[in-house]
Amino acid sequence: MGTVTIGVSIAVPEPHGSLLQELRAGFGDPAAHGIPTHVTLLPPTEVDSGALPVIEQHLSAVAAAGRPFPMRLSGTGTFRPLSPVVFVQVVEGGSACSWLQERVRDSSGPLVRELQFPYHPHVTVAHGIAEEAMDRAYEELSGYEAAWPCTGFALYEQGPDAVWRKLREFAFGGSTVPPQAGAPATRGTQRAR
């Protein structure tokens, strides 16, 4: 069957997601367009592809136990010198993110794993690029603000092209939204008045 690399995250919604992704690309981060703007709940993890149905059941149960919460981003932070990352800070919703990521990696589920670093919810805006560009990202986004109601999270898979694609969304309270990729687009007609 083989293995796949998956991740679980909370997407940063529009227009914030695209804006931060474009800024990340503008700072010279070559990975910017392959990574949707997000707050990580499970970092890249290699799993057996046959385990995906069990993983989806587990994530459905985690989402069913969750409730919507306010998310707010404000200002910047960095993990340097420990890790070459500049990020936008999660200033509201961080404790809910911590609760979720613990459940995603729960010892009774299929995604048990140790983290390389202690969990710290954030939105990466520069990773592994020149120090001057990291400094610029830190300064230019120091006044950045965004807020939205977080209503769920999603499962992503990294393709052979290193691009992360959404497999499925999980809405809090037990309802799930199936993936829309490849679904025919429907467009409603609007009558002029």
Side-chain angles (χ1 to χ4, degrees), residues 143-159:
Y144 185 80
E145 298 274 340
W148 70 93
C150 179
T151 58
F153 57 83
L155 172 65
Y156 292 82
E157 180 180 337
Q158 186 178 37

Side-chain angles (χ1 to χ4, degrees), residues 2-193:
T3 61
V4 292
T5 300
I6 63 165
V8 178
S9 62
I10 295 169
V12 175
E14 296 305 329
H16 315 295
S18 292
L19 172 65
L20 289 174
Q21 191 174 41
E22 288 305 315
L23 288 168
R24 183 172 178 172
F27 297 133
D29 190 330
H33 289 295
I35 304 172
T37 307
H38 67 283
V39 175
T40 300
L41 297 177
L42 177 76
T45 302
E46 192 172 296
V47 299
D48 186 303
S49 59
L52 285 174
V54 171
I55 289 169
E56 289 187 16
Q57 287 177 349
H58 170 66
L59 294 175
S60 291
V62 171
R67 296 292 174 262
F69 59 91
M71 285 281 284
R72 188 164 64 89
L73 309 178
S74 181
T76 51
T78 184
F79 294 132
R80 295 183 294 175
L82 189 60
S83 180
V85 173
V86 171
F87 56 86
V88 173
Q89 297 187 69
V90 173
V91 296
E92 187 175 2
S95 59
C97 292
S98 292
W99 182 88
L100 284 167
Q101 67 88 27
E102 286 175 0
R103 267 105 200 123
V104 167
R105 296 183 305 105
D106 189 83
S107 61
S108 67
L111 294 173
V112 178
R113 67 162 287 179
E114 292 296 318
L115 298 179
Q116 184 178 2
F117 300 106
Y119 182 74
H120 180 84
H122 65 281
V123 177
T124 299
V125 291
H127 181 230
I129 58 177
E131 287 297 319
E132 300 78 27
M134 301 273 271
D135 292 341
R136 197 174 64 129
Y138 187 88
E139 291 300 319
E140 288 185 18
L141 289 170
S142 64
Y144 185 80
E145 298 274 340
W148 70 93
C150 179
T151 58
F153 57 83
L155 172 65
Y156 292 82
E157 180 180 337
Q158 186 178 37
D161 57 359
V163 173
W164 287 90
R165 293 175 180 85
K166 189 185 318 179
L167 294 180
R168 184 170 168 187
E169 292 182 2
F170 298 87
F172 293 137
S175 55
T176 59
V177 179
Q180 300 301 305
T186 58
R187 186 173 291 162
T189 56
Q190 192 171 24
R191 292 184 191 168
R193 291 181 184 206

